[in-house]
Amino acid sequence: MREIEYSEVVKAVKDMIMYSGTDLPQDTYDALKEAMEEEKSRVSKEVIRQILENADIAKDEKRPLCQDTGLAVFFVKVGDQVKIKGGLLKDAINEGTEKGYTEGYLRASTCEPFSRANLKDTVGYNLPAIIHFDLVAGDKIDIEYAAKGGGSENVSRARVFPPAAGKEGIIEYVKEVISDAGGNPCPPITIGVGIGGTFEKAVISSKHALFRDIGSVNPDPEMAELEETILNEVNKLGIGAMGMGGTKTALAVHIEANPCHIASLPVSVNVQCHSSRHTHITL
Amino acid sequence: MATYTLTTPLSSEDTKMLKAGDTVFLNGTIYTARDAAHKRLVELIEKGEELPFDLEGSVIYFVGPTPPKPGDPIGSAGPTTSYRMDSYSPTMLKHGSKGMIGKGKRNQAVKDACVDYDGIYFGATGGAGALLGKQIKSAEVIAYPELGPEAVRKLEVENFPVTVINDTYGNDLYQMGREQYEVKD
Ligand code: SF4
Protein backbone atom coordinates (compact mmCIF):
# COMPACT_ATOMS: atom_id res chain seq x y z
CA MET A 1 0.00 0.00 0.00
CA ARG A 2 1.46 3.35 -1.08
CA GLU A 3 1.21 6.21 1.42
CA ILE A 4 0.84 9.91 0.62
CA GLU A 5 1.33 12.54 3.31
CA TYR A 6 -1.76 14.55 4.22
CA SER A 7 0.28 17.75 3.91
CA GLU A 8 1.31 16.85 0.38
CA VAL A 9 -2.33 16.74 -0.70
CA VAL A 10 -3.06 20.04 1.05
CA LYS A 11 -0.18 21.73 -0.76
CA ALA A 12 -1.06 20.25 -4.16
CA VAL A 13 -4.67 21.46 -3.87
CA LYS A 14 -3.60 24.89 -2.65
CA ASP A 15 -1.21 25.27 -5.58
CA MET A 16 -3.85 24.18 -8.09
CA ILE A 17 -6.30 26.75 -6.82
CA MET A 18 -3.84 29.63 -6.73
CA TYR A 19 -2.54 28.80 -10.18
CA SER A 20 -6.02 28.45 -11.70
CA GLY A 21 -7.15 31.73 -10.18
CA THR A 22 -4.65 33.70 -12.24
CA ASP A 23 -3.57 31.54 -15.20
CA LEU A 24 -6.18 30.79 -17.85
CA PRO A 25 -5.59 27.25 -19.17
CA GLN A 26 -3.90 27.07 -22.57
CA ASP A 27 -6.80 25.20 -24.22
CA THR A 28 -9.20 28.01 -23.33
CA TYR A 29 -6.75 30.75 -24.29
CA ASP A 30 -6.13 29.18 -27.71
CA ALA A 31 -9.85 28.65 -28.33
CA LEU A 32 -10.59 32.28 -27.45
CA LYS A 33 -7.86 33.48 -29.77
CA GLU A 34 -9.32 31.50 -32.63
CA ALA A 35 -12.79 32.79 -31.79
CA MET A 36 -11.53 36.37 -31.86
CA GLU A 37 -10.12 35.87 -35.34
CA GLU A 38 -13.31 34.29 -36.65
CA GLU A 39 -15.84 36.53 -34.90
CA LYS A 40 -17.78 38.68 -37.39
CA SER A 41 -19.10 41.34 -35.00
CA ARG A 42 -16.77 44.23 -34.27
CA VAL A 43 -18.16 44.68 -30.73
CA SER A 44 -17.80 40.99 -29.83
CA LYS A 45 -14.31 40.86 -31.33
CA GLU A 46 -13.31 43.72 -29.02
CA VAL A 47 -14.83 41.93 -26.02
CA ILE A 48 -12.78 38.79 -26.75
CA ARG A 49 -9.70 40.96 -27.21
CA GLN A 50 -10.31 42.36 -23.71
CA ILE A 51 -10.77 38.84 -22.34
CA LEU A 52 -7.38 37.80 -23.76
CA GLU A 53 -5.69 40.97 -22.53
CA ASN A 54 -7.23 40.28 -19.12
CA ALA A 55 -5.73 36.79 -19.17
CA ASP A 56 -2.29 38.23 -19.99
CA ILE A 57 -2.50 40.78 -17.15
CA ALA A 58 -3.78 38.18 -14.68
CA LYS A 59 -0.94 35.82 -15.49
CA ASP A 60 1.85 38.43 -15.51
CA GLU A 61 0.72 40.27 -12.39
CA LYS A 62 -0.78 37.29 -10.55
CA ARG A 63 -4.19 38.93 -10.23
CA PRO A 64 -7.41 36.89 -10.19
CA LEU A 65 -8.80 36.49 -13.72
CA CYS A 66 -12.30 37.23 -12.47
CA GLN A 67 -13.59 38.57 -9.16
CA ASP A 68 -15.98 35.62 -9.00
CA THR A 69 -13.49 32.95 -8.05
CA GLY A 70 -16.33 30.50 -7.72
CA LEU A 71 -17.07 27.51 -5.63
CA ALA A 72 -14.25 24.96 -5.73
CA VAL A 73 -15.35 21.79 -7.54
CA PHE A 74 -13.28 18.58 -7.57
CA PHE A 75 -13.48 15.21 -9.29
CA VAL A 76 -11.17 12.83 -7.46
CA LYS A 77 -10.17 9.31 -8.48
CA VAL A 78 -8.67 7.36 -5.61
CA GLY A 79 -6.60 4.22 -6.34
CA ASP A 80 -7.33 1.17 -4.18
CA GLN A 81 -3.59 0.80 -3.40
CA VAL A 82 -3.03 4.22 -1.84
CA LYS A 83 -3.83 5.76 1.51
CA ILE A 84 -3.39 9.15 3.12
CA LYS A 85 -1.05 9.33 6.10
CA GLY A 86 -2.10 11.68 8.86
CA GLY A 87 -5.70 12.46 8.01
CA LEU A 88 -8.67 12.11 5.68
CA LEU A 89 -8.39 12.87 1.95
CA LYS A 90 -11.59 14.92 2.09
CA ASP A 91 -10.21 17.08 4.92
CA ALA A 92 -6.96 17.59 3.02
CA ILE A 93 -8.83 18.82 -0.06
CA ASN A 94 -10.90 21.21 2.04
CA GLU A 95 -7.84 22.48 3.86
CA GLY A 96 -6.01 23.03 0.56
CA THR A 97 -9.07 24.88 -0.76
CA GLU A 98 -9.17 27.20 2.22
CA LYS A 99 -5.44 27.91 1.99
CA GLY A 100 -5.54 28.44 -1.79
CA TYR A 101 -8.42 30.92 -1.65
CA THR A 102 -6.92 32.79 1.31
CA GLU A 103 -3.30 32.98 0.18
CA GLY A 104 -4.31 33.69 -3.43
CA TYR A 105 -6.50 36.65 -2.39
CA LEU A 106 -9.41 34.92 -4.08
CA ARG A 107 -12.94 35.87 -3.05
CA ALA A 108 -14.85 33.72 -0.57
CA SER A 109 -18.17 33.23 -2.33
CA THR A 110 -19.80 30.57 -0.16
CA CYS A 111 -22.83 31.55 1.91
CA GLU A 112 -25.75 30.07 3.80
CA PRO A 113 -28.78 29.52 1.57
CA PHE A 114 -31.29 31.84 3.23
CA SER A 115 -29.50 34.19 5.60
CA ARG A 116 -26.89 34.62 2.79
CA ALA A 117 -24.30 34.97 5.55
CA ASN A 118 -20.79 34.28 4.34
CA LEU A 119 -19.74 30.88 5.63
CA LYS A 120 -16.19 31.97 6.36
CA ASP A 121 -17.34 32.93 9.83
CA THR A 122 -18.82 29.52 10.57
CA VAL A 123 -17.16 27.00 8.28
CA GLY A 124 -14.03 28.50 6.73
CA TYR A 125 -12.87 30.40 3.71
CA ASN A 126 -14.91 29.27 0.67
CA LEU A 127 -15.74 25.95 2.29
CA PRO A 128 -16.99 23.31 1.96
CA ALA A 129 -15.56 22.39 -1.45
CA ILE A 130 -17.79 20.36 -3.77
CA ILE A 131 -16.03 16.97 -4.11
CA HIS A 132 -17.01 13.98 -6.27
CA PHE A 133 -15.07 10.82 -5.40
CA ASP A 134 -14.55 7.72 -7.50
CA LEU A 135 -12.66 4.52 -6.63
CA VAL A 136 -10.29 3.04 -9.21
CA ALA A 137 -7.52 0.46 -9.40
CA GLY A 138 -3.91 1.57 -8.77
CA ASP A 139 -1.77 3.50 -6.31
CA LYS A 140 -2.40 7.07 -7.50
CA ILE A 141 -4.75 9.88 -6.63
CA ASP A 142 -6.02 11.91 -9.54
CA ILE A 143 -7.51 15.33 -8.78
CA GLU A 144 -9.35 17.51 -11.28
CA TYR A 145 -10.32 21.01 -10.15
CA ALA A 146 -12.44 23.80 -11.58
CA ALA A 147 -13.61 27.12 -10.18
CA LYS A 148 -17.32 27.43 -10.86
CA GLY A 149 -18.67 30.97 -10.99
CA GLY A 150 -22.26 31.94 -10.27
CA GLY A 151 -23.12 33.62 -13.56
CA SER A 152 -22.74 30.48 -15.63
CA GLU A 153 -24.04 28.09 -12.96
CA ASN A 154 -27.26 30.11 -12.62
CA VAL A 155 -28.33 29.45 -16.21
CA SER A 156 -27.73 25.67 -16.06
CA ARG A 157 -30.72 23.31 -16.21
CA ALA A 158 -31.69 19.63 -16.21
CA ARG A 159 -34.73 17.70 -17.31
CA VAL A 160 -35.80 14.09 -17.76
CA PHE A 161 -37.23 13.58 -21.27
CA PRO A 162 -39.23 10.64 -22.56
CA PRO A 163 -36.99 8.40 -24.73
CA ALA A 164 -38.81 9.52 -27.90
CA ALA A 165 -37.30 13.01 -27.55
CA GLY A 166 -34.05 11.59 -28.95
CA LYS A 167 -31.21 13.67 -30.34
CA GLU A 168 -33.61 16.26 -31.77
CA GLY A 169 -35.07 16.87 -28.33
CA ILE A 170 -31.62 17.30 -26.84
CA ILE A 171 -30.50 19.77 -29.51
CA GLU A 172 -33.64 21.88 -29.03
CA TYR A 173 -33.26 21.79 -25.24
CA VAL A 174 -29.65 22.99 -25.29
CA LYS A 175 -30.60 25.78 -27.71
CA GLU A 176 -33.43 26.85 -25.42
CA VAL A 177 -31.19 26.93 -22.33
CA ILE A 178 -28.46 28.93 -24.08
CA SER A 179 -30.93 31.26 -25.79
CA ASP A 180 -32.59 32.13 -22.48
CA ALA A 181 -29.20 32.63 -20.85
CA GLY A 182 -28.10 35.33 -23.33
CA GLY A 183 -25.07 37.23 -22.09
CA ASN A 184 -25.47 36.30 -18.40
CA PRO A 185 -23.06 33.32 -18.32
CA CYS A 186 -20.25 35.44 -19.86
CA PRO A 187 -19.98 33.99 -23.38
CA PRO A 188 -18.04 32.67 -25.25
CA ILE A 189 -19.00 29.68 -23.13
CA THR A 190 -18.29 25.97 -22.96
CA ILE A 191 -21.39 23.79 -22.77
CA GLY A 192 -21.36 20.53 -20.81
CA VAL A 193 -24.16 18.13 -21.72
CA GLY A 194 -24.83 15.10 -19.53
CA ILE A 195 -27.02 12.48 -21.12
CA GLY A 196 -28.51 9.35 -19.61
CA GLY A 197 -28.06 7.65 -16.25
CA THR A 198 -30.42 8.82 -13.54
CA PHE A 199 -31.36 12.45 -12.94
CA GLU A 200 -28.31 13.21 -10.76
CA LYS A 201 -25.97 11.13 -12.93
CA ALA A 202 -26.83 13.31 -15.91
CA VAL A 203 -26.18 16.46 -13.86
CA ILE A 204 -22.82 15.27 -12.56
CA SER A 205 -21.83 14.12 -16.06
CA SER A 206 -22.64 17.57 -17.46
CA LYS A 207 -20.41 19.14 -14.83
CA HIS A 208 -17.55 16.72 -15.47
CA ALA A 209 -17.83 17.34 -19.23
CA LEU A 210 -16.69 20.93 -18.55
CA PHE A 211 -13.36 19.68 -17.16
CA ARG A 212 -12.37 18.28 -20.55
CA ASP A 213 -9.91 20.37 -22.57
CA ILE A 214 -11.40 22.41 -25.38
CA GLY A 215 -10.21 20.98 -28.67
CA SER A 216 -10.10 17.38 -27.40
CA VAL A 217 -12.15 14.92 -29.42
CA ASN A 218 -14.93 12.83 -27.90
CA PRO A 219 -13.83 9.18 -28.26
CA ASP A 220 -17.38 8.17 -29.20
CA PRO A 221 -17.86 9.21 -32.87
CA GLU A 222 -21.64 9.50 -32.49
CA MET A 223 -21.22 11.90 -29.56
CA ALA A 224 -18.47 13.80 -31.37
CA GLU A 225 -20.87 14.41 -34.22
CA LEU A 226 -23.66 15.50 -31.88
CA GLU A 227 -21.25 17.93 -30.16
CA GLU A 228 -20.47 19.46 -33.54
CA THR A 229 -24.15 19.77 -34.47
CA ILE A 230 -25.10 21.42 -31.18
CA LEU A 231 -22.15 23.84 -31.39
CA ASN A 232 -23.21 24.98 -34.86
CA GLU A 233 -26.82 25.40 -33.79
CA VAL A 234 -25.91 27.39 -30.68
CA ASN A 235 -23.63 29.69 -32.64
CA LYS A 236 -26.52 30.50 -34.98
CA LEU A 237 -28.35 32.11 -32.05
CA GLY A 238 -26.35 35.31 -32.55
CA ILE A 239 -25.74 35.96 -28.84
CA GLY A 240 -22.00 36.66 -29.22
CA ALA A 241 -19.41 37.60 -26.60
CA MET A 242 -21.07 38.97 -23.44
CA GLY A 243 -24.39 38.86 -25.32
CA MET A 244 -23.50 41.84 -27.48
CA GLY A 245 -24.34 40.04 -30.72
CA GLY A 246 -22.01 37.82 -32.71
CA THR A 247 -21.14 34.48 -34.19
CA LYS A 248 -19.08 32.97 -31.35
CA THR A 249 -21.45 32.28 -28.48
CA ALA A 250 -19.86 28.95 -27.57
CA LEU A 251 -16.30 27.68 -27.91
CA ALA A 252 -17.17 24.01 -27.48
CA VAL A 253 -19.85 21.49 -26.57
CA HIS A 254 -18.75 18.50 -24.49
CA ILE A 255 -21.02 15.51 -24.03
CA GLU A 256 -20.80 12.74 -21.43
CA ALA A 257 -23.30 9.98 -22.08
CA ASN A 258 -24.37 7.05 -19.87
CA PRO A 259 -26.71 4.10 -20.26
CA CYS A 260 -30.14 4.99 -18.87
CA HIS A 261 -33.42 3.48 -17.74
CA ILE A 262 -35.60 2.09 -20.54
CA ALA A 263 -38.30 4.62 -19.61
CA SER A 264 -36.23 7.80 -19.53
CA LEU A 265 -33.76 10.13 -21.20
CA PRO A 266 -32.26 12.47 -18.59
CA VAL A 267 -30.46 15.53 -20.01
CA SER A 268 -28.49 18.13 -18.14
CA VAL A 269 -26.92 21.32 -19.50
CA ASN A 270 -24.16 22.86 -17.40
CA VAL A 271 -22.51 26.03 -18.66
CA GLN A 272 -18.98 27.27 -18.06
CA CYS A 273 -17.99 30.88 -18.79
CA HIS A 274 -15.01 32.03 -20.86
CA SER A 275 -13.04 32.15 -17.61
CA SER A 276 -12.85 28.36 -17.68
CA ARG A 277 -10.46 27.85 -14.78
CA HIS A 278 -9.72 24.14 -14.66
CA THR A 279 -6.66 22.05 -13.96
CA HIS A 280 -5.59 18.55 -13.14
CA ILE A 281 -2.88 16.73 -11.13
CA THR A 282 -1.91 13.18 -10.31
CA LEU A 283 -0.32 12.34 -6.98
CA MET B 1 -20.84 53.22 -33.29
CA ALA B 2 -18.65 55.92 -31.81
CA THR B 3 -16.06 56.08 -29.05
CA TYR B 4 -16.25 58.70 -26.29
CA THR B 5 -14.24 59.65 -23.22
CA LEU B 6 -16.44 60.98 -20.41
CA THR B 7 -15.87 62.24 -16.88
CA THR B 8 -18.36 61.76 -14.04
CA PRO B 9 -20.72 63.09 -12.82
CA LEU B 10 -22.62 62.62 -16.09
CA SER B 11 -25.11 65.21 -17.35
CA SER B 12 -28.19 64.63 -19.50
CA GLU B 13 -26.23 66.22 -22.29
CA ASP B 14 -23.58 63.48 -21.93
CA THR B 15 -26.03 60.61 -21.79
CA LYS B 16 -28.26 61.82 -24.65
CA MET B 17 -25.29 61.80 -26.99
CA LEU B 18 -24.70 58.06 -26.44
CA LYS B 19 -26.21 55.27 -28.55
CA ALA B 20 -26.36 51.52 -27.96
CA GLY B 21 -23.12 49.96 -29.21
CA ASP B 22 -20.92 53.00 -28.49
CA THR B 23 -17.68 52.50 -26.58
CA VAL B 24 -17.07 54.82 -23.62
CA PHE B 25 -13.95 55.34 -21.50
CA LEU B 26 -15.09 56.58 -18.09
CA ASN B 27 -13.02 58.79 -15.82
CA GLY B 28 -13.63 60.18 -12.36
CA THR B 29 -15.61 58.88 -9.40
CA ILE B 30 -17.99 55.93 -9.59
CA TYR B 31 -19.72 54.04 -6.76
CA THR B 32 -20.10 50.31 -6.22
CA ALA B 33 -23.29 48.63 -5.03
CA ARG B 34 -24.79 45.16 -5.35
CA ASP B 35 -28.21 43.86 -4.25
CA ALA B 36 -27.81 44.24 -0.49
CA ALA B 37 -26.50 47.81 -0.76
CA HIS B 38 -29.18 48.77 -3.30
CA LYS B 39 -31.86 47.59 -0.91
CA ARG B 40 -30.52 49.91 1.79
CA LEU B 41 -30.00 52.88 -0.55
CA VAL B 42 -33.53 52.65 -1.94
CA GLU B 43 -34.92 52.43 1.61
CA LEU B 44 -33.10 55.67 2.47
CA ILE B 45 -34.49 57.37 -0.66
CA GLU B 46 -38.01 56.26 0.20
CA LYS B 47 -37.68 57.57 3.75
CA GLY B 48 -36.26 60.82 2.39
CA GLU B 49 -33.03 60.37 4.32
CA GLU B 50 -29.54 61.37 3.28
CA LEU B 51 -27.52 58.96 1.14
CA PRO B 52 -23.83 58.11 1.69
CA PHE B 53 -23.03 59.85 -1.63
CA ASP B 54 -24.60 62.37 -4.01
CA LEU B 55 -26.82 60.57 -6.53
CA GLU B 56 -26.90 63.46 -9.01
CA GLY B 57 -25.09 62.38 -12.18
CA SER B 58 -23.65 59.34 -10.42
CA VAL B 59 -22.58 56.11 -12.08
CA ILE B 60 -23.15 52.90 -10.09
CA TYR B 61 -20.97 49.85 -10.70
CA PHE B 62 -22.45 46.44 -9.87
CA VAL B 63 -19.37 44.67 -8.52
CA GLY B 64 -18.11 42.64 -5.56
CA PRO B 65 -14.30 42.72 -5.88
CA THR B 66 -11.72 40.21 -4.66
CA PRO B 67 -9.69 41.30 -1.63
CA PRO B 68 -6.79 43.60 -2.65
CA LYS B 69 -3.24 42.35 -2.47
CA PRO B 70 -1.03 44.40 -0.14
CA GLY B 71 -0.29 47.76 -1.78
CA ASP B 72 -3.14 47.58 -4.32
CA PRO B 73 -6.31 49.73 -4.02
CA ILE B 74 -8.59 46.87 -5.05
CA GLY B 75 -8.46 43.29 -6.30
CA SER B 76 -10.10 41.97 -9.44
CA ALA B 77 -13.25 43.91 -10.14
CA GLY B 78 -15.44 42.84 -13.07
CA PRO B 79 -19.21 43.34 -13.30
CA THR B 80 -21.81 41.07 -11.75
CA THR B 81 -25.13 40.07 -13.37
CA SER B 82 -27.39 43.12 -13.36
CA TYR B 83 -30.94 41.75 -13.28
CA ARG B 84 -30.72 41.40 -9.51
CA MET B 85 -30.71 45.21 -9.36
CA ASP B 86 -33.72 45.62 -11.71
CA SER B 87 -36.20 46.32 -8.93
CA TYR B 88 -34.00 49.10 -7.50
CA SER B 89 -32.49 50.83 -10.53
CA PRO B 90 -35.57 52.85 -11.65
CA THR B 91 -35.70 54.54 -8.22
CA MET B 92 -31.99 55.35 -8.39
CA LEU B 93 -32.38 56.87 -11.89
CA LYS B 94 -35.47 58.81 -10.86
CA HIS B 95 -33.44 60.44 -8.09
CA GLY B 96 -30.60 61.62 -10.27
CA SER B 97 -28.28 58.70 -10.95
CA LYS B 98 -27.31 58.69 -14.63
CA GLY B 99 -25.47 55.46 -15.24
CA MET B 100 -25.13 51.81 -14.27
CA ILE B 101 -22.36 49.37 -15.13
CA GLY B 102 -23.00 45.62 -15.11
CA LYS B 103 -23.50 42.62 -17.33
CA GLY B 104 -26.59 40.93 -18.77
CA LYS B 105 -30.13 41.91 -19.69
CA ARG B 106 -32.28 44.45 -17.83
CA ASN B 107 -36.08 44.41 -17.60
CA GLN B 108 -38.44 46.77 -19.38
CA ALA B 109 -38.88 48.97 -16.28
CA VAL B 110 -35.14 49.73 -16.24
CA LYS B 111 -35.07 50.42 -19.98
CA ASP B 112 -38.07 52.75 -19.61
CA ALA B 113 -36.39 54.53 -16.70
CA CYS B 114 -33.32 55.11 -18.91
CA VAL B 115 -35.60 56.86 -21.42
CA ASP B 116 -37.54 58.82 -18.79
CA TYR B 117 -34.58 60.03 -16.71
CA ASP B 118 -31.73 60.16 -19.28
CA GLY B 119 -29.95 57.12 -17.85
CA ILE B 120 -27.52 54.75 -19.52
CA TYR B 121 -26.91 51.08 -18.82
CA PHE B 122 -23.31 50.26 -19.65
CA GLY B 123 -21.94 46.76 -20.08
CA ALA B 124 -18.42 45.96 -18.94
CA THR B 125 -16.68 42.75 -19.97
CA GLY B 126 -17.65 40.09 -17.43
CA GLY B 127 -14.71 38.03 -16.31
CA ALA B 128 -12.21 40.74 -17.23
CA GLY B 129 -11.68 41.46 -13.54
CA ALA B 130 -7.91 41.89 -13.68
CA LEU B 131 -8.05 44.31 -16.61
CA LEU B 132 -10.90 46.35 -15.13
CA GLY B 133 -9.36 46.32 -11.64
CA LYS B 134 -6.25 47.97 -13.08
CA GLN B 135 -8.29 50.97 -14.28
CA ILE B 136 -9.37 51.62 -10.69
CA LYS B 137 -6.84 53.95 -9.13
CA SER B 138 -8.29 54.21 -5.65
CA ALA B 139 -11.04 52.58 -3.61
CA GLU B 140 -12.56 53.58 -0.31
CA VAL B 141 -15.43 51.92 1.56
CA ILE B 142 -17.92 54.71 2.30
CA ALA B 143 -20.89 52.73 3.61
CA TYR B 144 -21.98 49.33 4.95
CA PRO B 145 -18.53 47.82 5.63
CA GLU B 146 -20.30 44.86 7.25
CA LEU B 147 -21.42 43.75 3.78
CA GLY B 148 -17.83 42.77 2.91
CA PRO B 149 -17.44 42.53 -0.89
CA GLU B 150 -20.92 44.09 -1.14
CA ALA B 151 -20.06 47.28 0.78
CA VAL B 152 -20.48 50.64 -1.02
CA ARG B 153 -17.12 51.81 -2.35
CA LYS B 154 -16.09 55.09 -3.88
CA LEU B 155 -13.77 54.38 -6.80
CA GLU B 156 -11.58 56.67 -8.86
CA VAL B 157 -11.32 55.26 -12.37
CA GLU B 158 -9.19 56.09 -15.38
CA ASN B 159 -10.28 55.16 -18.91
CA PHE B 160 -12.57 52.45 -17.60
CA PRO B 161 -13.85 50.67 -20.77
CA VAL B 162 -17.60 50.12 -21.12
CA THR B 163 -20.12 49.63 -23.93
CA VAL B 164 -23.53 51.30 -24.12
CA ILE B 165 -26.21 48.59 -23.83
CA ASN B 166 -29.39 50.60 -23.12
CA ASP B 167 -29.47 54.22 -24.24
CA THR B 168 -31.86 57.10 -23.57
CA TYR B 169 -33.80 56.32 -26.77
CA GLY B 170 -34.97 52.84 -25.77
CA ASN B 171 -32.38 50.95 -27.83
CA ASP B 172 -30.97 47.68 -26.50
CA LEU B 173 -27.65 46.38 -27.82
CA TYR B 174 -28.41 42.85 -26.63
CA GLN B 175 -31.50 42.76 -28.87
CA MET B 176 -29.96 44.63 -31.78
CA GLY B 177 -26.73 42.64 -31.78
CA ARG B 178 -28.51 39.34 -31.58
CA GLU B 179 -30.97 40.17 -34.37
CA GLN B 180 -28.08 41.14 -36.59
CA TYR B 181 -26.18 37.87 -36.15
CA GLU B 182 -28.97 35.35 -35.64
CA VAL B 183 -29.10 32.75 -38.43
CA LYS B 184 -32.63 31.51 -39.06
CA ASP B 185 -32.90 28.25 -40.99
S1 SF4 C 1 -19.70 33.87 -15.27
FE1 SF4 C 1 -17.48 33.42 -15.11
S2 SF4 C 1 -16.43 35.13 -16.10
FE2 SF4 C 1 -18.54 35.76 -15.70
S3 SF4 C 1 -18.43 36.83 -13.73
FE3 SF4 C 1 -18.99 34.68 -13.29
S4 SF4 C 1 -17.05 33.61 -12.96
FE4 SF4 C 1 -16.57 35.57 -13.91
Side-chain angles (χ1 to χ4, degrees):
Chain A
M1 190 66 113
R2 182 174 162 238
E3 287 189 339
I4 301 178
E5 290 288 339
Y6 178 90
S7 58
E8 194 188 324
V9 180
V10 173
K11 178 158 190 319
V13 170
K14 183 190 96 172
D15 290 349
M16 268 172 122
I17 286 173
M18 288 178 65
Y19 178 80
S20 297
T22 57
D23 290 52
L24 194 68
Q26 199 60 42
D27 66 310
T28 311
Y29 193 92
D30 292 345
L32 283 164
K33 213 163 179 179
E34 202 182 309
M36 182 178 73
E37 277 150 25
E38 290 172 8
E39 174 58 62
K40 298 213 168 60
S41 145
R42 188 191 63 85
V43 180
S44 273
K45 224 187 211 336
E46 166 60 18
V47 169
I48 305 176
R49 194 201 58 73
Q50 283 187 18
I51 292 169
L52 289 166
E53 189 187 341
N54 181 66
D56 295 338
I57 294 172
K59 186 180 181 145
D60 293 346
E61 301 183 13
K62 290 283 163 240
R63 290 170 185 272
L65 284 153
C66 179
Q67 75 290 337
D68 183 353
T69 47
L71 294 196
V73 184
F74 296 91
F75 281 86
V76 185
K77 287 199 198 80
V78 189
D80 60 351
Q81 297 298 316
V82 55
K83 70 173 206 199
I84 305 298
K85 201 172 142 206
L88 284 178
L89 178 57
K90 184 175 161 184
D91 294 344
I93 293 171
N94 274 315
E95 200 176 315
T97 300
E98 178 160 24
K99 286 208 159 98
Y101 275 80
T102 313
E103 292 176 30
Y105 298 95
L106 306 176
R107 195 180 79 186
S109 306
T110 316
C111 71
E112 279 162 353
F114 299 122
S115 73
R116 311 305 293 174
N118 201 300
L119 286 177
K120 74 179 159 198
D121 301 327
T122 47
V123 179
Y125 206 83
N126 226 34
L127 295 182
I130 311 293
I131 314 173
H132 304 284
F133 285 105
D134 194 8
L135 286 171
V136 297
D139 65 354
K140 303 248 185 314
I141 296 176
D142 187 88
I143 306 177
E144 292 175 285
Y145 161 74
K148 201 63 189 66
S152 53
E153 201 70 355
N154 285 354
V155 302
S156 302
R157 265 186 237 165
R159 186 173 156 186
V160 182
F161 283 90
K167 282 185 196 165
E168 280 311 310
I170 294 174
I171 296 166
E172 282 310 308
Y173 185 56
V174 179
K175 273 172 69 179
E176 178 190 311
V177 172
I178 305 306
S179 176
D180 290 352
N184 289 357
C186 290
I189 51 176
T190 306
I191 305 170
V193 184
I195 302 174
T198 48
F199 181 75
E200 87 285 6
K201 180 75 181 170
V203 173
I204 293 170
S205 299
S206 67
K207 170 72 81 250
H208 190 239
L210 296 174
F211 285 60
R212 207 177 101 200
D213 277 352
I214 301 172
S216 61
V217 180
N218 195 316
D220 180 338
E222 190 183 9
M223 293 307 156
E225 196 190 318
L226 186 55
E227 288 177 354
E228 191 68 34
T229 308
I230 298 176
L231 181 63
N232 286 332
E233 288 300 314
V234 164
N235 282 337
K236 284 186 196 164
L237 292 171
I239 296 168
M242 291 314 299
M244 296 189 187
T247 53
K248 292 287 169 186
T249 303
L251 300 172
V253 175
H254 292 165
I255 297 177
E256 272 192 27
N258 312 281
C260 50
H261 191 281
I262 48 173
S264 46
L265 179 62
V267 181
S268 169
V269 183
N270 197 189
V271 177
Q272 178 65 302
C273 52
H274 64 73
S275 200
S276 177
R277 292 151 288 180
H278 64 105
T279 174
H280 171 252
I281 50 154
T282 304
L283 294 174
Chain B
M1 289 181 194
T3 300
Y4 298 95
T5 301
L6 292 174
T7 303
T8 62
L10 300 183
S11 64
S12 287
E13 204 176 308
D14 292 329
T15 59
K16 281 178 153 161
M17 145 181 107
L18 302 174
K19 297 261 170 57
D22 286 349
T23 302
V24 177
F25 292 98
L26 282 176
N27 291 279
T29 305
I30 63 174
Y31 298 93
T32 75
R34 291 170 49 114
D35 341 13
H38 268 84
K39 185 161 183 269
R40 296 188 190 192
L41 293 171
V42 166
E43 274 166 15
L44 290 180
I45 293 175
E46 279 162 0
K47 282 193 221 140
E49 286 172 23
E50 202 185 328
L51 267 66
F53 60 91
D54 187 3
L55 268 190
E56 197 53 47
S58 63
V59 175
I60 313 290
Y61 186 18
F62 308 149
V63 61
T66 58
K69 282 190 178 177
D72 285 348
I74 200 162
S76 283
T80 191
T81 310
S82 306
Y83 72 83
R84 298 193 311 270
M85 270 55 76
D86 280 357
S87 52
Y88 307 114
S89 292
T91 310
M92 302 283 284
L93 292 166
K94 188 175 172 191
H95 289 85
S97 178
K98 284 278 179 283
M100 304 160 278
I101 308 170
K103 69 170 175 107
K105 285 177 272 207
R106 310 305 305 271
N107 68 10
Q108 196 55 45
V110 177
K111 295 182 208 174
D112 291 345
C114 284
V115 176
D116 294 346
Y117 310 114
D118 301 337
I120 296 282
Y121 171 51
F122 297 103
T125 300
L131 177 129
L132 294 169
K134 270 191 85 152
Q135 306 311 116
I136 299 170
K137 301 303 166 185
S138 74
E140 181 196 344
V141 174
I142 56 164
Y144 319 134
E146 66 280 9
L147 295 179
E150 300 211 35
V152 173
R153 289 173 171 79
K154 180 181 176 189
L155 309 179
E156 296 300 326
V157 297
E158 248 175 58
N159 290 327
F160 191 88
V162 291
T163 306
V164 177
I165 306 292
N166 296 115
D167 60 23
T168 60
Y169 305 97
N171 295 313
D172 183 346
L173 179 66
Y174 292 139
Q175 263 168 25
M176 290 157 52
R178 195 160 165 179
E179 274 158 21
Q180 190 178 349
Y181 291 98
E182 187 171 358
V183 181
K184 294 210 176 82
D185 297 308

